[in-house]
Amino acid sequence: MSEQIAYLNGDFLPLTEAKVSAQDRGFLFGDGIYEVIPVFQKKLFQLNAHLDRLRNSLNAVSIQDPYTDTQWETLLNDLIQKHPWDNQFVYLHVTRGVQLVRDHLPENNLKPTVYAYTNPLKPVADHILKHGIKAVTLEDIRWLRCDIKATTLLPNVMMKLAAKQQGADDAILIGRDQTISEGTASNVFIVKDGVLHTPPLSNRILPGITRMMIEKIALDHNIPLLEQQLFLADLETADEIWLTSSTKDALPVCSLNNNTIGSGKPGPIWRKMQAYFEQTKQALMAAED
Ligand code: PDD
C-alpha cells in the first residue's frame, strides 16, 4: 500500500516523519489526552460522542480544545480518506505542548500539540468469536481519575503484561474496595439470569462509548439492564462476561482465572447483542448518507 499518513499540528505528512519535540509535556509528563474512534465504511462512528468525551477530558486537565467540532471532523475525515481501508481506527492525541524549563506546573499559554494517525480495523478473530477470550482478575493499580482519557497508560500496560504472563488475553480490574472497575482498555458487563449488569459511571472507569451504545441497545430491545457495583463473586458466577471497546465491540470472556464462565462458549445474550450492535451500526451509517 502507499505510505501511511499522519496529522501533526496542522500538516499531513508520512507517519515515519511525524516528530515532536523531546520537550513536549506529553513526552516528559504524560501530560495529554487521547481518543480512539472507529471508522466503518470510511465513516467516523459516534464522532460527536467521542468529541464530547475529548472535550470533557481536556476540560478536566485544563487544556484548551485546540479545534472546533467542525475542524476536528474535517481533519479526521481528510486523514481517513488518505488511506485505503474501509474500516479503520483513528487515534488522536492532544498534549499541553512544549515547555523548555522543567516544571510540573505548566507555563501559561502553551500551544497544545495535536497528533492523529489511523490504522486498519481488523475484524475480531474467528476463534475469539467461537471460544471467547481468557481473562484474569488483577488489582486495579491506576489513579482515581480513570474517567479522564489520559495518555498516561503505564499502569494499563503493566496490567496487560501481567495478564499475558499469566497466560490470559486481558485483565479485569478490582479496586481497593473490592469492586470491579473495567478491563485494561475496555468496560465490563456481565449477564446473570438474563439480566445485563455493568458498574455505574464514576471516577474509577472510562465512560465508554461502546458501553453507552450497549446500554441503549439493551433498552431498545428490552434486555433488562442494571448499573450496579460488581464483585469478584459476581464475575465468577456470571453466565456471560463481556469486555467492550470501540475497536472490539463486545468481546466474550469464557475463562476467568482459569475457570470456565457459563457454558465455556460465547453466550446467547452476547450473540443477540452482537447482531443488534451490527444492525445499529448499519442504521447509523446509513442515516449519515
Ligand atoms: N480504549 N476503558 C478503558 C480504560 C479504555 O481504554 C477504553 C477504550 C474503554 C472503552 O471505551 P470505548 O468504548 O469508548 O472505546 C474503557 C481504547 C480503545 C484504547 O485505549 O485504545
Side-chain angles (χ1 to χ4, degrees):
M1 133 189 167
S2 51
E3 71 188 339
Q4 257 180 279
I5 302 296
Y7 172 92
L8 182 60
N9 294 329
D11 295 316
F12 288 100
L13 70 175
L15 183 64
T16 49
E17 288 170 25
K19 298 195 169 60
V20 293
S21 165
Q23 286 302 122
D24 195 283
R25 290 186 62 97
F27 182 55
L28 294 176
F29 291 92
D31 189 353
I33 294 302
Y34 78 104
E35 273 298 323
V36 173
I37 311 178
V39 171
F40 301 108
Q41 297 150 32
K42 294 243 161 132
K43 287 182 196 154
L44 289 153
F45 186 61
Q46 295 289 299
L47 175 66
N48 290 339
H50 282 278
L51 290 181
D52 284 350
R53 186 171 66 187
L54 174 71
R55 199 146 297 128
N56 288 341
S57 296
L58 288 169
N59 282 339
V61 301
S62 306
I63 297 179
Q64 208 175 351
D65 192 338
Y67 299 142
T68 62
D69 281 7
T70 313
Q71 287 171 319
W72 276 119
E73 188 168 359
T74 305
L75 91 80
L76 295 174
N77 275 320
D78 286 351
L79 180 66
I80 291 163
Q81 295 309 328
K82 292 178 192 303
H83 297 86
W85 317 299
D86 282 345
N87 297 344
Q88 308 181 17
F89 62 97
V90 172
Y91 175 89
L92 70 88
H93 171 124
V94 180
T95 78
R96 201 178 300 274
V98 175
Q99 178 167 329
L100 298 184
V101 177
R102 177 170 174 82
D103 197 335
H104 287 62
L105 185 66
E107 285 171 10
N108 287 331
N109 304 322
L110 295 178
K111 190 165 180 287
T113 301
V114 182
Y115 178 56
Y117 73 106
T118 184
N119 281 147
L121 181 58
K122 306 245 167 71
V124 174
D126 266 357
H127 73 271
I128 293 183
L129 299 179
K130 280 195 196 117
H131 305 292
I133 62 166
K134 283 176 147 195
V136 286
T137 49
L138 290 178
E139 184 187 2
D140 191 344
I141 59 172
R142 301 172 301 165
W143 65 336
L144 296 176
R145 289 307 306 271
C146 296
D147 53 320
I148 300 174
K149 202 158 171 61
T151 56
T152 330
L153 289 174
L154 188 55
N156 306 60
V157 171
M158 289 166 67
M159 294 183 296
K160 185 93 185 182
L161 271 174
K164 176 134 196 265
Q165 279 157 6
Q166 294 183 32
D169 303 295
D170 211 336
I172 299 178
L173 311 177
I174 305 185
R176 280 161 223 174
D177 63 355
Q178 302 308 312
T179 63
I180 306 298
S181 50
E182 54 184 348
T184 59
S186 53
N187 292 111
V188 64
F189 284 81
I190 67 165
V191 177
K192 183 68 184 169
D193 300 328
V195 180
L196 201 50
H197 303 250
T198 195
L201 292 183
S202 74
N203 60 319
R204 302 254 327 278
I205 70 171
L206 188 77
I209 311 297
T210 319
R211 173 188 180 280
M212 179 191 78
M213 302 239 0
I214 285 183
E215 288 198 332
K216 184 169 181 321
I217 293 171
L219 206 70
D220 289 349
H221 293 273
N222 299 316
I223 301 174
L225 168 86
L226 276 179
E227 279 192 359
Q228 61 171 193
Q229 297 296 355
L230 298 174
F231 295 85
L232 178 59
D234 297 312
L235 294 182
E236 287 171 339
T237 56
D239 301 322
E240 302 183 25
I241 302 177
W242 313 340
L243 291 177
T244 68
S245 75
S246 292
T247 48
K248 310 263 170 61
D249 297 348
L251 279 188
V253 176
C254 295
S255 155
L256 184 75
N257 297 332
N258 289 320
N259 295 314
T260 300
I261 295 301
S263 67
K265 293 256 157 61
I269 310 278
W270 173 79
R271 222 169 279 288
K272 246 195 206 176
M273 180 55 73
Q274 225 210 355
Y276 290 143
F277 202 94
E278 202 46 50
Q279 278 171 18
T280 307
K281 263 189 212 168
Q282 298 299 336
L284 286 173
M285 307 312 273
E288 278 187 24
D289 280 336

